[in-house]
Amino acid sequence: MSIARVAIGVCLAALLTLGACGSTESAKQKSDEQFQQCNEHFQQGSEHMIAANEYREAGESDKAQSEYETAQGEFDKALDKYGAVLAEDPDNVSALVNSGIVYYTKGELAKAIAQYQRALEVAPNDADIHSNLAAAFVQSQELDDALEEYELAVELDPELAEAHLGLGVVYIQTNQNQKSILAFERFLELDKGQDPMASEQATRYLKELKGQ
């Protein structure tokens, strides 16, 4: 299953759009009408989520308060739609994760953490979710928990670039500079410039750490 990801620092939350709501097994247990309604709610939630980020980015570039207010409204609508999905299917990992991303983006970190933790109860070996949870812990300044989650994420998926970036930042904040260098170098190997802002951030950190 593809899961939306968040990254710390300059990186923005990535959005996902899934064509199905819930697992195949849960789909069999629902009527076609219920499943279709659940799927529609999820898609609508994703549309609101995308719109909210567009308004928010416009507000950042134009310094327009009205754009931020509109973004907040769209985020709230997204949460309503994901809530409708979870009312039908409480174990829907995608809705749990996307709800977490909305809360994270809104700055409601305790709620984001709770959603990610609930998602991990259903999918405990999903590296992306562990990485998302770690990012929320970083923003909450819960660095020990963040480190644990990032290290678990890269253990589960050694090629998860975002987790290596996050590890690098946490290692800096916990005075583990040599580990930080290795994490940033690994991120750059894996990312290959796909996220230019994150690559710039990692490169800058490396120069500072190496005294260049």
Side-chain angles (χ1 to χ4, degrees), residues 79 82-83 86 90 92-104 108-122 129 132-133 136:
L79 288 171
Y82 293 136
L86 294 169
N92 188 291
V93 173
S94 298
L96 288 165
V97 171
N98 273 21
S99 295
I101 290 172
V102 174
Y103 284 127
Y104 177 93
E108 298 181 35
L109 298 175
K111 292 181 179 180
I113 288 168
Q115 291 298 91
Y116 295 143
Q117 289 175 329
R118 176 72 187 93
L120 285 170
E121 291 177 8
V122 184
I129 306 175
N132 281 11
L133 177 57

Side-chain angles (χ1 to χ4, degrees), residues 90-158:
D91 291 339
N92 188 291
V93 173
S94 298
L96 288 165
V97 171
N98 273 21
S99 295
I101 290 172
V102 174
Y103 284 127
Y104 177 93
T105 309
K106 283 167 62 70
E108 298 181 35
L109 298 175
K111 292 181 179 180
I113 288 168
Q115 291 298 91
Y116 295 143
Q117 289 175 329
R118 176 72 187 93
L120 285 170
E121 291 177 8
V122 184
N125 295 321
D126 193 302
D128 289 324
I129 306 175
H130 283 288
S131 184
N132 281 11
L133 177 57
F137 278 136
V138 169
Q139 296 302 319
S140 299
Q141 292 299 305
E142 299 176 57
L143 298 182
D144 289 342
D145 290 329
L147 185 59
E148 180 180 347
E149 291 298 327
Y150 274 133
E151 289 180 338
L152 182 53
V154 297
E155 179 182 337
L156 291 167
D157 183 0

Side-chain angles (χ1 to χ4, degrees), residues 41-204:
H41 283 310
F42 185 87
Q43 296 297 336
Q44 290 166 359
S46 294
E47 289 169 6
H48 286 302
M49 196 174 174
I50 291 168
N53 274 281
E54 290 175 347
Y55 282 117
R56 183 170 56 85
E57 290 171 6
E60 289 173 350
S61 61
D62 299 336
K63 306 300 181 184
Q65 183 63 31
S66 61
E67 298 287 352
Y68 281 112
E69 291 173 353
T70 303
Q72 289 296 104
E74 289 295 321
F75 280 132
D76 289 341
K77 291 176 184 177
L79 288 171
D80 286 342
K81 293 300 180 181
Y82 293 136
V85 174
L86 294 169
E88 290 286 335
D89 182 5
D91 291 339
N92 188 291
V93 173
S94 298
L96 288 165
V97 171
N98 273 21
S99 295
I101 290 172
V102 174
Y103 284 127
Y104 177 93
T105 309
K106 283 167 62 70
E108 298 181 35
L109 298 175
K111 292 181 179 180
I113 288 168
Q115 291 298 91
Y116 295 143
Q117 289 175 329
R118 176 72 187 93
L120 285 170
E121 291 177 8
V122 184
N125 295 321
D126 193 302
D128 289 324
I129 306 175
H130 283 288
S131 184
N132 281 11
L133 177 57
F137 278 136
V138 169
Q139 296 302 319
S140 299
Q141 292 299 305
E142 299 176 57
L143 298 182
D144 289 342
D145 290 329
L147 185 59
E148 180 180 347
E149 291 298 327
Y150 274 133
E151 289 180 338
L152 182 53
V154 297
E155 179 182 337
L156 291 167
D157 183 0
E159 297 188 358
L160 184 57
E162 293 86 354
H164 289 283
L165 177 65
L167 267 177
V169 173
V170 175
Y171 283 141
I172 286 178
Q173 294 177 316
T174 54
N175 299 312
Q176 300 181 69
N177 290 351
Q178 188 56 45
K179 287 185 176 181
S180 184
I181 289 171
L182 295 175
F184 287 133
E185 288 177 341
R186 183 59 176 150
F187 166 74
L188 291 171
E189 289 175 7
L190 293 169
D191 186 69
K192 295 181 171 58
Q194 295 179 56
D195 187 334
M197 294 179 69
S199 294
E200 180 182 346
Q201 182 187 38
T203 301
R204 185 176 69 252

Side-chain angles (χ1 to χ4, degrees), residues 11-23:
C11 308
L12 299 177
L15 303 178
L16 89 163
T17 303
L18 296 181
C21 177
S23 66

